Amino acid sequence: MESEAKTKLSRKDRMEAILSSVFSPSLLEVQDVSNEHIGHVGSSPSGETHYRVFIQAEAFREMKLIDRHRAVYRALDSEFSSGLHALEIETKTEQETSK
């Protein structure tokens, strides 16, 4: 039953659940921007291939930008394996956001 519920979630919902679990963000925005990439390589008529993510989490405090992005990509590996093609990422800590 539980696996059935997971498969019925949209990619956006699954990504939000994964990122929330891994990073415990204070702010998380996941946007499906697949409609901006229609006809591009990796796009699909059904969408859910291109996303924009903003994540604010203290887990990023001591991490370099490249390491933050690698951590997000690692967390979403299962989504890339199942059709996610492109991801635009912005990562911040609370301190960086308040500047």
Side-chain angles (χ1 to χ4, degrees), residues 23-41:
F23 299 105
S24 301
S26 53
L27 182 60
L28 175 62
E29 296 172 5
V30 177
Q31 296 177 294
D32 182 349
V33 294
S34 300
N35 63 326
E36 297 174 11
H37 300 277
I38 294 171
H40 295 182
V41 173

Side-chain angles (χ1 to χ4, degrees), residues 32-82:
D32 182 349
V33 294
S34 300
N35 63 326
E36 297 174 11
H37 300 277
I38 294 171
H40 295 182
V41 173
S43 69
S44 168
S46 60
E48 294 196 326
T49 56
H50 293 72
Y51 283 81
R52 183 175 297 130
V53 170
F54 175 83
I55 182 167
Q56 176 181 292
E58 289 308 300
F60 298 131
R61 181 170 295 283
E62 299 297 324
M63 297 172 78
K64 294 178 182 177
L65 181 61
I66 188 70
D67 294 327
R68 293 175 181 190
H69 285 217
R70 286 177 178 155
V72 171
Y73 275 100
R74 267 193 311 275
L76 295 175
D77 185 59
S78 63
E79 294 302 322
F80 279 101
S81 297
S82 66

